[in-house]
mmCIF file of all heavy atoms in Angstrom:
data_model
loop_
_atom_site.group_PDB
_atom_site.id
_atom_site.type_symbol
_atom_site.label_atom_id
_atom_site.label_comp_id
_atom_site.label_asym_id
_atom_site.label_seq_id
_atom_site.Cartn_x
_atom_site.Cartn_y
_atom_site.Cartn_z
ATOM 1 N N THR A 6 36.875 11.193 167.060
ATOM 2 C CA THR A 6 37.376 10.770 165.752
ATOM 3 C C THR A 6 38.889 10.877 165.631
ATOM 4 O O THR A 6 39.527 9.918 165.186
ATOM 5 C CB THR A 6 36.659 11.532 164.620
ATOM 6 O OG1 THR A 6 35.255 11.408 164.805
ATOM 7 C CG2 THR A 6 37.034 10.987 163.264
ATOM 8 N N PRO A 7 39.539 11.995 165.998
ATOM 9 C CA PRO A 7 40.983 12.053 165.847
ATOM 10 C C PRO A 7 41.748 10.987 166.631
ATOM 11 O O PRO A 7 42.712 10.403 166.134
ATOM 12 C CB PRO A 7 41.364 13.462 166.317
ATOM 13 C CG PRO A 7 40.108 14.206 166.447
ATOM 14 C CD PRO A 7 38.990 13.221 166.501
ATOM 15 N N GLY A 8 41.303 10.693 167.826
ATOM 16 C CA GLY A 8 41.934 9.653 168.617
ATOM 17 C C GLY A 8 41.770 8.278 167.989
ATOM 18 O O GLY A 8 42.695 7.450 168.013
ATOM 19 N N LEU A 9 40.600 8.038 167.416
ATOM 20 C CA LEU A 9 40.355 6.769 166.720
ATOM 21 C C LEU A 9 41.273 6.665 165.487
ATOM 22 O O LEU A 9 41.843 5.620 165.217
ATOM 23 C CB LEU A 9 38.907 6.643 166.314
ATOM 24 C CG LEU A 9 37.893 6.454 167.439
ATOM 25 C CD1 LEU A 9 36.452 6.527 166.920
ATOM 26 C CD2 LEU A 9 38.131 5.151 168.170
ATOM 27 N N ILE A 10 41.404 7.764 164.746
ATOM 28 C CA ILE A 10 42.272 7.787 163.568
ATOM 29 C C ILE A 10 43.699 7.457 163.995
ATOM 30 O O ILE A 10 44.364 6.636 163.359
ATOM 31 C CB ILE A 10 42.203 9.159 162.857
ATOM 32 C CG1 ILE A 10 40.837 9.314 162.174
ATOM 33 C CG2 ILE A 10 43.330 9.283 161.820
ATOM 34 C CD1 ILE A 10 40.577 10.723 161.655
ATOM 35 N N ALA A 11 44.160 8.080 165.069
ATOM 36 C CA ALA A 11 45.519 7.812 165.568
ATOM 37 C C ALA A 11 45.684 6.331 165.901
ATOM 38 O O ALA A 11 46.702 5.700 165.541
ATOM 39 C CB ALA A 11 45.811 8.675 166.775
ATOM 40 N N GLY A 12 44.702 5.758 166.578
ATOM 41 C CA GLY A 12 44.780 4.356 166.943
ATOM 42 C C GLY A 12 44.804 3.446 165.738
ATOM 43 O O GLY A 12 45.597 2.489 165.679
ATOM 44 N N ILE A 13 43.985 3.734 164.743
ATOM 45 C CA ILE A 13 43.946 2.947 163.530
ATOM 46 C C ILE A 13 45.280 3.017 162.778
ATOM 47 O O ILE A 13 45.784 2.011 162.272
ATOM 48 C CB ILE A 13 42.766 3.367 162.627
ATOM 49 C CG1 ILE A 13 41.428 3.031 163.301
ATOM 50 C CG2 ILE A 13 42.854 2.702 161.246
ATOM 51 C CD1 ILE A 13 40.236 3.730 162.699
ATOM 52 N N LEU A 14 45.837 4.236 162.725
ATOM 53 C CA LEU A 14 47.103 4.434 162.005
ATOM 54 C C LEU A 14 48.307 3.993 162.838
ATOM 55 O O LEU A 14 49.412 3.873 162.305
ATOM 56 C CB LEU A 14 47.264 5.890 161.617
ATOM 57 C CG LEU A 14 46.272 6.469 160.596
ATOM 58 C CD1 LEU A 14 46.485 7.967 160.425
ATOM 59 C CD2 LEU A 14 46.383 5.737 159.269
ATOM 60 N N GLY A 15 48.136 3.804 164.147
ATOM 61 C CA GLY A 15 49.260 3.446 164.998
ATOM 62 C C GLY A 15 50.174 4.633 165.304
ATOM 63 O O GLY A 15 51.352 4.466 165.581
ATOM 64 N N HIS A 16 49.607 5.860 165.273
ATOM 65 C CA HIS A 16 50.379 7.068 165.536
ATOM 66 C C HIS A 16 50.118 7.547 166.965
ATOM 67 O O HIS A 16 49.032 7.367 167.482
ATOM 68 C CB HIS A 16 49.949 8.202 164.591
ATOM 69 C CG HIS A 16 50.229 7.950 163.145
ATOM 70 N ND1 HIS A 16 51.084 6.970 162.661
ATOM 71 C CD2 HIS A 16 49.782 8.600 162.040
ATOM 72 C CE1 HIS A 16 51.130 7.025 161.342
ATOM 73 N NE2 HIS A 16 50.337 7.991 160.945
ATOM 74 N N PRO A 17 51.095 8.229 167.573
ATOM 75 C CA PRO A 17 50.847 8.889 168.870
ATOM 76 C C PRO A 17 49.816 9.978 168.689
ATOM 77 O O PRO A 17 49.666 10.542 167.599
ATOM 78 C CB PRO A 17 52.199 9.438 169.287
ATOM 79 C CG PRO A 17 53.067 9.426 168.067
ATOM 80 C CD PRO A 17 52.458 8.447 167.125
ATOM 81 N N TYR A 18 49.116 10.300 169.791
ATOM 82 C CA TYR A 18 48.007 11.249 169.728
ATOM 83 C C TYR A 18 48.039 12.160 170.938
ATOM 84 O O TYR A 18 48.307 11.721 172.065
ATOM 85 C CB TYR A 18 46.682 10.505 169.679
ATOM 86 C CG TYR A 18 45.461 11.329 169.839
ATOM 87 C CD1 TYR A 18 45.080 12.272 168.901
ATOM 88 C CD2 TYR A 18 44.657 11.213 170.973
ATOM 89 C CE1 TYR A 18 43.963 13.069 169.052
ATOM 90 C CE2 TYR A 18 43.506 11.977 171.130
ATOM 91 C CZ TYR A 18 43.173 12.894 170.168
ATOM 92 O OH TYR A 18 42.056 13.672 170.324
ATOM 93 N N ALA A 19 47.731 13.438 170.715
ATOM 94 C CA ALA A 19 47.541 14.398 171.808
ATOM 95 C C ALA A 19 46.300 15.232 171.520
ATOM 96 O O ALA A 19 46.075 15.627 170.364
ATOM 97 C CB ALA A 19 48.781 15.289 171.959
ATOM 98 N N SER A 20 45.537 15.506 172.572
ATOM 99 C CA SER A 20 44.318 16.300 172.388
ATOM 100 C C SER A 20 44.434 17.616 173.140
ATOM 101 O O SER A 20 45.323 17.792 173.979
ATOM 102 C CB SER A 20 43.106 15.520 172.907
ATOM 103 O OG SER A 20 43.249 15.260 174.281
ATOM 104 N N VAL A 21 43.525 18.516 172.839
ATOM 105 C CA VAL A 21 43.484 19.837 173.437
ATOM 106 C C VAL A 21 44.828 20.532 173.351
ATOM 107 O O VAL A 21 45.377 21.046 174.319
ATOM 108 C CB VAL A 21 42.918 19.807 174.886
ATOM 109 C CG1 VAL A 21 42.486 21.211 175.327
ATOM 110 C CG2 VAL A 21 41.742 18.844 175.032
ATOM 111 N N VAL A 22 45.369 20.540 172.154
ATOM 112 C CA VAL A 22 46.699 21.097 171.884
ATOM 113 C C VAL A 22 46.563 22.593 171.646
ATOM 114 O O VAL A 22 45.744 23.064 170.849
ATOM 115 C CB VAL A 22 47.320 20.401 170.649
ATOM 116 C CG1 VAL A 22 48.607 21.114 170.216
ATOM 117 C CG2 VAL A 22 47.580 18.934 170.956
ATOM 118 N N THR A 23 47.370 23.375 172.349
ATOM 119 C CA THR A 23 47.331 24.829 172.226
ATOM 120 C C THR A 23 48.557 25.409 171.520
ATOM 121 O O THR A 23 48.531 26.548 171.056
ATOM 122 C CB THR A 23 47.222 25.485 173.621
ATOM 123 O OG1 THR A 23 48.326 25.086 174.419
ATOM 124 C CG2 THR A 23 45.915 25.091 174.288
ATOM 125 N N LYS A 24 49.647 24.599 171.397
ATOM 126 C CA LYS A 24 50.835 25.081 170.752
ATOM 127 C C LYS A 24 51.635 23.883 170.260
ATOM 128 O O LYS A 24 51.733 22.865 170.951
ATOM 129 C CB LYS A 24 51.693 25.906 171.738
ATOM 130 C CG LYS A 24 52.897 26.565 171.143
ATOM 131 C CD LYS A 24 53.601 27.435 172.167
ATOM 132 C CE LYS A 24 54.803 28.106 171.568
ATOM 133 N NZ LYS A 24 55.490 28.955 172.597
ATOM 134 N N VAL A 25 52.212 24.030 169.064
ATOM 135 C CA VAL A 25 53.016 22.965 168.461
ATOM 136 C C VAL A 25 54.333 23.547 168.011
ATOM 137 O O VAL A 25 54.377 24.555 167.329
ATOM 138 C CB VAL A 25 52.280 22.353 167.229
ATOM 139 C CG1 VAL A 25 53.104 21.211 166.659
ATOM 140 C CG2 VAL A 25 50.894 21.904 167.577
ATOM 141 N N ARG A 26 55.435 22.853 168.407
ATOM 142 C CA ARG A 26 56.783 23.257 167.947
ATOM 143 C C ARG A 26 57.485 22.011 167.432
ATOM 144 O O ARG A 26 57.327 20.922 167.994
ATOM 145 C CB ARG A 26 57.585 23.866 169.106
ATOM 146 C CG ARG A 26 57.036 25.161 169.611
ATOM 147 C CD ARG A 26 57.830 25.751 170.755
ATOM 148 N NE ARG A 26 58.231 24.856 171.835
ATOM 149 C CZ ARG A 26 57.466 24.500 172.850
ATOM 150 N NH1 ARG A 26 56.203 24.895 172.929
ATOM 151 N NH2 ARG A 26 57.929 23.705 173.819
ATOM 152 N N LEU A 27 58.271 22.200 166.409
ATOM 153 C CA LEU A 27 59.079 21.107 165.867
ATOM 154 C C LEU A 27 60.536 21.423 166.177
ATOM 155 O O LEU A 27 61.046 22.480 165.781
ATOM 156 C CB LEU A 27 58.854 20.996 164.369
ATOM 157 C CG LEU A 27 59.557 19.871 163.643
ATOM 158 C CD1 LEU A 27 59.025 18.516 164.122
ATOM 159 C CD2 LEU A 27 59.368 20.006 162.139
ATOM 160 N N GLU A 28 61.200 20.516 166.897
ATOM 161 C CA GLU A 28 62.600 20.699 167.217
ATOM 162 C C GLU A 28 63.340 19.395 167.009
ATOM 163 O O GLU A 28 63.010 18.374 167.641
ATOM 164 C CB GLU A 28 62.739 21.159 168.683
ATOM 165 C CG GLU A 28 62.177 22.536 168.930
ATOM 166 C CD GLU A 28 62.345 23.004 170.353
ATOM 167 O OE1 GLU A 28 63.065 22.340 171.153
ATOM 168 O OE2 GLU A 28 61.758 24.047 170.703
ATOM 169 N N GLU A 29 64.330 19.415 166.131
ATOM 170 C CA GLU A 29 65.166 18.274 165.834
ATOM 171 C C GLU A 29 64.363 17.012 165.532
ATOM 172 O O GLU A 29 64.641 15.923 166.014
ATOM 173 C CB GLU A 29 66.107 18.009 167.036
ATOM 174 C CG GLU A 29 67.034 19.177 167.322
ATOM 175 C CD GLU A 29 67.863 18.978 168.572
ATOM 176 O OE1 GLU A 29 67.995 17.826 169.044
ATOM 177 O OE2 GLU A 29 68.374 19.974 169.068
ATOM 178 N N GLY A 30 63.317 17.189 164.715
ATOM 179 C CA GLY A 30 62.530 16.063 164.266
ATOM 180 C C GLY A 30 61.492 15.572 165.260
ATOM 181 O O GLY A 30 60.795 14.577 165.003
ATOM 182 N N LEU A 31 61.403 16.207 166.418
ATOM 183 C CA LEU A 31 60.389 15.818 167.420
ATOM 184 C C LEU A 31 59.400 16.974 167.580
ATOM 185 O O LEU A 31 59.733 18.130 167.458
ATOM 186 C CB LEU A 31 61.057 15.549 168.760
ATOM 187 C CG LEU A 31 61.945 14.319 168.842
ATOM 188 C CD1 LEU A 31 62.647 14.289 170.207
ATOM 189 C CD2 LEU A 31 61.152 13.051 168.640
ATOM 190 N N LEU A 32 58.178 16.599 167.946
ATOM 191 C CA LEU A 32 57.142 17.581 168.259
ATOM 192 C C LEU A 32 57.190 17.902 169.758
ATOM 193 O O LEU A 32 57.288 16.970 170.567
ATOM 194 C CB LEU A 32 55.769 17.061 167.946
ATOM 195 C CG LEU A 32 55.340 17.000 166.506
ATOM 196 C CD1 LEU A 32 53.958 16.327 166.418
ATOM 197 C CD2 LEU A 32 55.296 18.359 165.869
ATOM 198 N N LEU A 33 57.114 19.165 170.079
ATOM 199 C CA LEU A 33 56.873 19.579 171.453
ATOM 200 C C LEU A 33 55.478 20.197 171.439
ATOM 201 O O LEU A 33 55.219 21.183 170.751
ATOM 202 C CB LEU A 33 57.895 20.582 171.942
ATOM 203 C CG LEU A 33 59.326 20.049 172.067
ATOM 204 C CD1 LEU A 33 60.291 21.141 172.455
ATOM 205 C CD2 LEU A 33 59.361 18.908 173.095
#
């Protein structure tokens, strides 16, 4: 479902994420 949502919305997608950082407007 999340990958399908990303595709429908036209957003980039990543799965099995263990850590999220926001730096200068970009996600790492």
